[in-house]
């Protein structure tokens, strides 16, 4: 009888183990993986239609997918596409699409849908902010149900990067036609692992799990539907509000300001992940306005900057001191360029000011007409910029230059730069391909995104050439030469690359950051 009970007990345990192995991808110690994820977001999305928003956010990545994505191995992989081929020197690229993928509304994701999306995106009437990223686009053709070819007037070296951005996500043509002008507000239909349920602007966005999803990228362990049943994104513009919500468990996941990291680390219920992102914070000097049009004066300013001090005091160490215009996460970044940049050396800076024709007196520096040298820096009113600006101001004052700070709302600041009336701007840009430099330094963009009004014929030629080179090693060499000139001319005094700092509750399992600092939650569940 005892042996029978023992066998019976073994049988029960073996049965339990078998069930666990069978259901292991969905069960943890007998509890089903699932739950509702509460997340904060700071900036209100302009639209959930990726073709009509000036910037995408976390919510877009949950609803939509792109033809390709950037993997943890720092290479591009197929998402909605399974393969692609460049032809005619890069002027043509053919994508073979994955079969069996459907939109949330049940309609097929096929060549017809991809053609519809690209033609809509490039329609001048839509005025999509993304259209300029593929401005040499000519046409797109379907070569059957699951194959499309894009044609370009000239090759675009950053094409795969551009197409991996959410701006180029494939949306349901049926939904766009059905909702018309309300699409992006009252509906958003993609192929992503979560579906739009509701959006109350200024309050929250609610997404529900897409039960038919089974085409997750290979970097996820879970290849089926998301474990999480819902994602609820709460609008929380204030940093302290987010911190308190995270501490109290009202949200599971949020970005953390560097001033709050140590506090969060002391909370046993909170975990922290950090990762450098494709971003540069910089001091830009107006090259069209005296005396900042003189590279000697710009280099003098650069000699006053102590990047390590900025990183420690303004970011509490959560950044990388970086004197180049490209993030360490971006193709073409090189530490070999660091020594070219002017380092902190007040006497060297003063020598450059003398060489530029300024004379030092008891009140500072004056030019040949006796006019005092002063600098006004415009920056954002949101953290960390006011604190950052004060540190930069204190460093430049050591040169003997008076510095004034103006803090403005971001939209107001950026609207002032095309006229070129400013002295300097202390801002940042975020992008993960070196092609972005054409927006900031090419003379064709002087009245738009070239906010420091820098014009250099050699830089123009190199930027144009780099946009058409498909071989990555050749691109790196060109961008290396571009950076050498920019570092020497100093239209920007590059400061640092920040970390993406994410705080999350310890009961949120499976969370990780992607190679570009994006939140990856398909493996997540609430324990």
């Amino acid at each position: 009888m005892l042996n029978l009970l023992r066998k019976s007990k073994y049988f029960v345990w073996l049965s339990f183990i078998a069930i666990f192995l069978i259901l292991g991808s969905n069960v943890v110690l007998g509890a089903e993986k699932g739950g509702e994820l509460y997340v904060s977001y700071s900036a209100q999305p302009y639209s959930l239609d990726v073709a009509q928003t000036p910037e995408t956010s976390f919510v877009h990545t949950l609803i939509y997918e792109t033809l390709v994505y950037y993997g943890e191995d720092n290479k591009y992989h197929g998402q909605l596409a399974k393969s692609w081929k460049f032809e005619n020197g890069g002027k043509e690229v053919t994508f073979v699409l994955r079969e069996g993928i459907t939109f949330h509304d049940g309609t097929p994701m096929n060549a017809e849908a991809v053609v519809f999306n690209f033609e809509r995106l490039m329609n001048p009437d839509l005025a999509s902010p993304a259209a300029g990223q593929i401005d040499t686009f000519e046409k797109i053709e379907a070569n059957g149900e699951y194959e499309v070819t894009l044609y370009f007037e000239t090759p675009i070296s950053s094409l795969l990067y551009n197409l991996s951005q959410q701006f180029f996500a494939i949306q349901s043509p049926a939904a766009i036609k059905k909702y018309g002008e309300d699409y992006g507000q009252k509906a958003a239909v993609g192929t992503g692992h979560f579906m739009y349920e509701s959006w109350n602007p200024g309050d929250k966005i609610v997404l529900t799990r897409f039960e038919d999803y089974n085409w997750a990228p290979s970097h996820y362990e879970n290849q089926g539907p998301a474990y999480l049943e819902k994602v609820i994104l709460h609008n929380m513009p204030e940093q302290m509000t987010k911190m308190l919500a995270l501490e109290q468990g009202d949200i599971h996941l949020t970005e953390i300001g560097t001033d709050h990291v140590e506090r969060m680390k002391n909370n046993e219920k909170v975990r922290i992940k950090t990762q450098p992102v494709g971003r540069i914070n910089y001091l830009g000097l107006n090259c069209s306005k005296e005396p900042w049009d003189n590279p000697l004066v710009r280099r003098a300013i650069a000699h006053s900057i102590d990047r390590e001090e900025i990183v420690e005091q303004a970011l509490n160490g959560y950044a990388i001191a970086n004197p180049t215009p490209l993030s360490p996460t971006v193709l073409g970044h090189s530490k070999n360029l660091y020594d070219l940049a002017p380092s902190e050396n007040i006497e060297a800076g003063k020598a450059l000011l003398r060489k530029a024709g300024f004379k030092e007196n008891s009140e500072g520096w004056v030019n040949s007409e006796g006019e005092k040298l002063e600098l006004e820096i415009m920056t954002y009113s949101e953290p960390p910029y006011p604190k950052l600006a004060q540190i930069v101001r204190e460093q430049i004052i050591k040169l003997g230059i008076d510095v004034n700070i103006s803090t403005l709302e971001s939209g107001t600041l950026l609207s002032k730069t095309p006229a070129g009336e400013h002295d300097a701007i202390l801002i940042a840009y975020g992008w993960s391909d070196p092609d972005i430099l054409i927006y900031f330094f090419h003379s064709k963009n002087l009245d738009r995104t070239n906010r420091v009004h820098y014009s250099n014929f050699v830089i123009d030629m190199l930027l144009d050439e780099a946009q058409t080179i498909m071989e990555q090693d050749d691109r790196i060499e060109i961008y290396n030469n571009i950076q050498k000139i920019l570092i020497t001319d100093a239209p920007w005094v590059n400061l640092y690359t920040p970390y993406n700092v994410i705080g999350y509750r310890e009961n949120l399992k499976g969370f990780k950051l992607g190679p570009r600092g994006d939140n990856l939650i398909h493996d997540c569940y609430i324990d």
Side-chain angles (χ1 to χ4, degrees):
M1 184 68 174
L2 183 61
N3 288 335
L4 182 61
L5 286 173
R6 285 173 177 168
K7 290 179 181 178
S8 175
K9 191 162 40 174
Y10 292 147
F11 176 78
V12 170
W13 275 106
L14 287 172
S15 299
F16 178 82
I17 292 170
I19 292 171
F20 182 82
L21 291 173
I22 293 170
L23 302 178
S25 62
N26 294 305
V27 174
V28 180
L29 298 178
E32 184 178 354
K33 291 183 179 179
E36 296 182 354
L37 176 69
Y38 292 85
V39 187
S40 77
Y41 67 91
S42 300
Q44 181 71 20
Y46 173 77
S47 172
L48 297 183
D49 177 358
V50 289
Q52 297 197 68
T53 182
E55 59 182 19
T56 60
S57 60
F58 177 47
V59 65
H60 296 99
T61 68
L62 302 180
I63 299 172
Y64 301 113
E65 294 176 312
T66 52
L67 294 175
V68 298
Y69 74 93
Y70 191 70
E72 293 179 302
D73 57 358
N74 298 318
K75 296 179 181 179
Y76 290 98
H77 300 268
Q79 190 162 35
L80 297 180
K82 63 181 180 181
S83 65
W84 57 89
K85 178 174 61 175
F86 286 96
E87 296 177 299
N88 194 17
K91 293 182 181 181
E92 300 174 16
V93 56
T94 297
F95 289 93
V96 178
L97 307 176
R98 295 175 67 175
E99 300 179 20
I101 296 178
T102 61
F103 293 105
H104 302 150
D105 57 9
T107 58
M109 195 295 299
N110 54 20
E112 181 182 347
V114 174
V115 170
F116 174 90
N117 274 265
F118 274 88
E119 289 182 343
R120 175 175 182 259
L121 184 76
M122 301 307 294
N123 186 336
D125 293 337
L126 187 68
S128 172
Q133 294 181 35
I134 54 171
D135 56 358
T136 67
F137 174 87
E138 288 185 327
K139 63 179 180 177
I140 181 172
E141 293 181 346
N143 311 321
E145 189 174 1
Y146 293 103
E147 185 175 296
V148 296
T149 300
L150 283 71
Y151 297 86
F152 299 91
E153 182 181 351
T154 57
I156 299 177
S157 57
S158 61
L159 182 63
L160 291 180
Y161 172 77
N162 295 339
L163 297 186
S164 72
Q165 302 302 297
Q166 285 298 311
F167 298 113
F168 294 91
I170 307 303
Q171 306 180 92
S172 165
I176 292 171
K177 294 172 184 176
K178 176 181 178 181
Y179 288 94
E181 293 182 358
D182 288 334
Y183 184 81
Q185 303 295 327
K186 296 183 178 179
V189 183
T191 62
H193 42 187
F194 288 92
M195 306 187 299
Y196 173 98
E197 179 178 304
S198 63
W199 179 19
N200 184 11
D203 181 17
K204 63 182 178 181
I205 302 170
V206 180
L207 307 179
T208 58
R209 176 169 59 200
F210 182 26
E211 298 292 352
D212 293 336
Y213 189 84
N214 64 357
W215 45 84
S218 59
H219 57 245
Y220 286 118
E221 293 181 11
N222 173 25
Q223 291 294 292
Y227 296 139
L228 294 165
E229 297 156 23
K230 287 192 175 186
V231 178
I232 298 94
L233 301 100
H234 288 275
N235 187 210
M236 295 182 178
E238 299 298 326
Q239 183 69 228
M240 186 54 68
T241 303
K242 291 188 288 189
M243 297 304 98
L244 291 173
L246 183 63
E247 286 183 316
Q248 295 168 5
D250 295 331
I251 59 174
H252 298 100
L253 180 68
T254 187
E255 291 183 358
I256 290 183
T258 55
D259 288 342
H260 301 280
V261 175
E262 293 308 314
R263 171 180 167 177
M264 291 297 110
K265 281 186 174 180
N266 291 328
N267 188 320
E268 62 179 13
K269 297 293 186 180
V270 174
R271 303 289 181 265
I272 302 291
K273 284 188 183 293
T274 64
Q275 186 163 322
V277 294
R279 183 174 168 187
I280 292 290
N281 284 66
Y282 65 90
L283 175 68
L285 298 163
N286 187 349
C287 301
S288 67
K289 185 178 181 180
E290 293 184 351
W292 320 113
D293 59 343
N294 187 334
L296 294 175
V297 179
R298 300 196 297 265
R299 287 181 65 84
I301 295 292
H303 270 301
S304 72
I305 300 300
D306 183 343
R307 294 176 181 84
E308 296 291 347
E309 181 183 56
I310 289 172
V311 166
E312 288 303 318
Q313 291 193 12
L315 287 307
N316 293 312
Y318 290 96
I320 300 170
N322 180 8
T324 77
L326 295 178
S327 164
T329 65
V330 175
L331 176 79
H333 173 86
S334 174
K335 286 191 174 181
N336 294 331
L337 299 172
Y338 282 28
D339 291 340
L340 290 178
S343 57
E344 185 202 16
N345 188 328
I346 298 301
E347 290 309 313
K350 289 184 174 184
L352 289 172
L353 290 177
R354 295 188 191 98
K355 190 174 181 180
F358 287 89
K359 293 184 178 180
E360 189 175 18
N361 59 32
S362 59
E363 296 184 357
W365 295 89
V366 295
N367 62 15
S368 57
E369 282 78 37
E371 297 171 331
K372 188 176 180 180
L373 178 58
E374 297 178 317
L375 177 67
E376 181 184 16
I377 299 175
M378 296 194 309
T379 192
Y380 299 139
S381 56
E382 300 85 7
Y385 292 96
K387 182 177 182 180
L388 171 63
Q390 287 302 322
I391 296 170
V392 170
R393 176 180 180 272
E394 291 167 6
Q395 292 182 353
I396 297 175
I397 284 175
K398 293 177 182 179
L399 273 179
I401 299 174
D402 285 346
V403 180
N404 297 310
I405 305 296
S406 296
T407 56
L408 303 168
E409 186 273 333
S410 60
T412 302
L413 188 158
L414 298 180
S415 70
K416 289 179 175 293
T417 58
E421 297 175 358
H422 56 292
D423 290 343
I425 51 175
L426 183 60
I427 60 174
Y429 84 88
W431 203 250
S432 294
D433 189 275
D435 178 62
I436 192 65
L437 296 181
I438 200 167
Y439 288 84
F440 301 130
F441 297 111
H442 199 290
S443 60
K444 71 180 181 181
N445 292 318
L446 286 172
D447 60 343
R448 291 173 290 175
T449 51
N450 186 337
R451 304 189 188 283
V452 293
H453 295 258
Y454 176 74
S455 181
N456 183 317
F457 177 69
V458 175
I459 286 289
D460 286 354
M461 288 195 304
L462 290 173
L463 288 170
D464 287 336
E465 182 183 5
Q467 276 205 312
T468 64
I469 300 296
M470 305 305 291
E471 176 55 50
Q472 296 302 315
D473 288 343
D474 293 338
R475 287 187 77 203
I476 290 172
E477 182 178 356
I478 294 172
Y479 282 114
N480 192 274
N481 292 330
I482 289 171
Q483 290 179 88
K484 287 178 181 178
I485 297 172
L486 293 176
I487 290 170
T488 302
D489 271 2
W492 285 4
V493 180
N494 306 294
L495 304 177
Y496 63 85
T497 292
Y499 285 106
N500 188 23
V501 183
I502 298 295
Y504 64 101
R505 299 287 295 183
E506 56 85 25
N507 64 334
L508 175 61
K509 305 301 183 182
F511 174 70
K512 60 182 179 180
L513 291 174
R516 290 173 175 163
D518 45 333
N519 299 325
L520 303 181
I521 68 164
H522 192 65
D523 288 334
C524 286
Y525 58 93
I526 307 301
D527 187 7

